[in-house]
Amino acid sequence: MTTAATQSQDTSSWAQIEDILSRPTAKHSLTRQKVLDSVHFRRIIKPYTDLSLGDCSYLNTCHRIEEGCKYVHYELEPSGKEGLCLSDKVNVWNRATYPGSGISTSGKLLASMFPPQWINCDVRKFDLKCLGRKFPVIMADPPWDIHMSLPYGTMTDDEMKQMGLHEVQDEGLLFLWVTGRAMEVARDCLKYWGYRRVDEIVWIKTNQAQRIIRTGRTGHWMNHSKVLTENDYKMGNFTKYNPGLDGDVLVAEVRETSRKPDEIYCIIERLCPGVPKLEIFGRQHNTREGWLTLGNQLQGSCVHDPKIRASVSARYPWMVLSGPHGFVV
């Protein structure tokens, strides 16, 4: 009797699991049922547009629209009903479902988190040791020299190796964005810095219509439709991580040149909740609660952590740092 009851309970449990797995995801429901129905695109036709080539995968985010890209481009046609484009709506869903930094995997607010912090600096020359603290999690999106024409400055291989990311991390995880020939250079740098590669996350790039990018901006032999972030581990006693929560494939829209998907922050926060995090080569849109962002395209500097503020001010007394309440130190 007991065995029969147990089998019946197991059957019922599996039925519930199968029912959950068969349901559409929240993102699928949002993008298909609510977003695409109200979003319309119209063609951008230039004198040099060649209709026979078909659509540019980047639609209206191609940085070569005004520089002679011959593919057909598109732009969002305002509906007059809502002021959000498709990517904005998807990001609203992301923030609602995975609030990101400052939220633990149990949904509780982490009191140790500082508000977003950033320092405008030339990362190539900035003394990382002057931050005065170590970071268990670092993410970097370096301007690798991939031997192609790019709309931003790049760093040589030697400059990258001398970056010294290892100086602000005794133990923990490093997430390093790489693409093309940079993968070989990156692995040389990681070995030099003392890291061991343990995994990678693949970002599959899509356009606003949720189609894979095929007319890539990078790639010598094939158009690149993906970007990798190398997940690397530095030996030590770092145990504040939760393995097995997320997959290693991230499908998300492209936006401005070199801008990475916001979903990566959610993945990192679930993997390593409640620890200080450092992002290098960030912009203003990269600033997040619980993160310190470094880069030369940030709007001034804002540091809330008194230890970092005191240490940076001692090393660079002329640097203007906005304090926790807006005052200047």
Side-chain angles (χ1 to χ4, degrees):
M1 186 71 176
T2 303
T3 302
T6 302
Q7 291 177 344
S8 176
Q9 184 176 4
D10 290 344
T11 301
S12 176
S13 298
W14 277 111
Q16 293 177 7
I17 293 174
E18 290 177 353
D19 176 61
I20 293 173
L21 293 177
S22 65
R23 299 174 187 174
T25 64
K27 187 171 184 177
H28 180 275
S29 299
L30 175 65
T31 57
R32 294 303 175 191
Q33 298 175 17
K34 295 183 179 179
V35 179
L36 294 181
D37 290 343
S38 60
V39 173
H40 300 277
F41 297 98
R42 59 188 175 196
R43 283 183 171 185
I44 301 176
I45 304 297
K46 299 290 186 179
Y48 42 78
T49 300
D50 186 345
L51 297 178
S52 66
L53 294 178
D55 299 343
C56 176
S57 294
Y58 285 94
L59 299 181
N60 69 328
T61 63
C62 177
H63 71 275
R64 297 187 61 247
I65 292 180
E66 304 298 335
E67 299 176 8
C69 181
K70 296 182 179 181
Y71 288 92
V72 179
H73 300 86
Y74 292 82
E75 62 184 351
L76 285 171
E77 183 175 27
S79 63
K81 297 178 180 179
E82 300 178 31
L84 296 177
C85 66
L86 176 58
S87 59
D88 292 329
K89 296 180 180 180
V90 172
N91 287 336
V92 168
W93 175 86
N94 287 330
R95 290 193 293 271
T97 308
Y98 301 118
S101 297
I103 304 296
S104 69
T105 52
S106 64
K108 296 181 179 179
L109 186 65
L110 299 170
S112 61
M113 290 294 182
F114 283 101
Q117 305 180 95
W118 61 90
I119 298 177
N120 186 325
C121 61
D122 184 344
V123 178
R124 296 173 301 172
K125 302 176 182 179
F126 187 76
D127 182 7
L128 294 175
K129 295 191 296 295
C130 82
L131 294 176
R133 89 163 45 247
K134 304 293 184 177
F135 295 84
V137 173
I138 298 176
M139 180 166 67
D141 184 14
W144 302 101
D145 181 6
I146 59 175
H147 298 173
M148 295 188 68
S149 176
L150 298 171
Y152 52 82
T154 60
M155 292 176 62
T156 66
D157 298 350
D158 288 338
E159 285 178 324
M160 282 304 311
K161 184 173 288 188
Q162 298 306 318
M163 274 286 298
L165 300 187
H166 57 295
E167 295 178 344
V168 286
Q169 188 177 69
D170 289 332
E171 57 187 26
L173 295 173
L174 168 63
F175 296 83
L176 188 65
W177 288 99
V178 297
T179 185
R181 68 170 291 274
M183 287 188 280
E184 299 176 9
V185 180
R187 289 170 183 173
D188 288 342
C189 290
L190 291 167
K191 184 178 180 180
Y192 179 79
W193 294 333
Y195 286 90
R196 176 170 60 89
R197 178 179 172 274
V198 293
D199 214 331
E200 65 185 24
I201 298 174
V202 181
W203 169 31
I204 305 298
K205 299 187 288 186
T206 64
N207 58 26
Q208 297 96 322
Q210 307 302 299
R211 296 174 181 172
I212 294 178
I213 296 293
R214 301 187 187 279
T215 54
R217 294 171 181 159
T218 59
H220 293 281
W221 297 93
M222 306 290 287
N223 287 325
H224 291 174
S225 298
K226 71 179 188 310
V227 181
L228 300 179
T229 171
E230 297 277 6
N231 303 346
D232 307 280
Y233 179 71
K234 192 168 186 183
M235 302 304 291
N237 299 315
F238 182 64
T239 57
K240 297 180 179 180
Y241 61 91
N242 303 311
L245 293 182
D246 284 282
D248 59 355
V249 177
L250 195 166
V251 181
E253 293 177 26
V254 297
R255 291 173 289 180
E256 301 94 319
T257 300
S258 81
R259 182 171 180 174
K260 301 304 185 289
D262 295 338
E263 290 89 338
I264 190 65
Y265 296 99
C266 304
I267 292 175
I268 293 176
E269 187 58 42
R270 290 191 291 273
L271 181 63
C272 305
V275 299
K277 300 175 177 67
L278 172 67
E279 179 167 7
I280 305 178
F281 301 105
R283 303 178 193 171
Q284 203 64 37
H285 59 250
N286 296 119
T287 58
R288 293 288 190 284
E289 184 176 359
W291 289 76
L292 170 64
T293 306
L294 306 180
N296 64 356
Q297 298 183 45
L298 293 161
Q299 299 172 10
S301 301
C302 180
V303 179
H304 301 270
D305 187 326
K307 183 176 181 180
I308 295 177
R309 198 165 63 242
S311 183
V312 173
S313 296
R315 177 66 175 82
Y316 300 105
W318 61 87
M319 185 174 286
V320 177
L321 302 176
S322 175
H325 301 293
F327 61 83
V328 176
V329 296

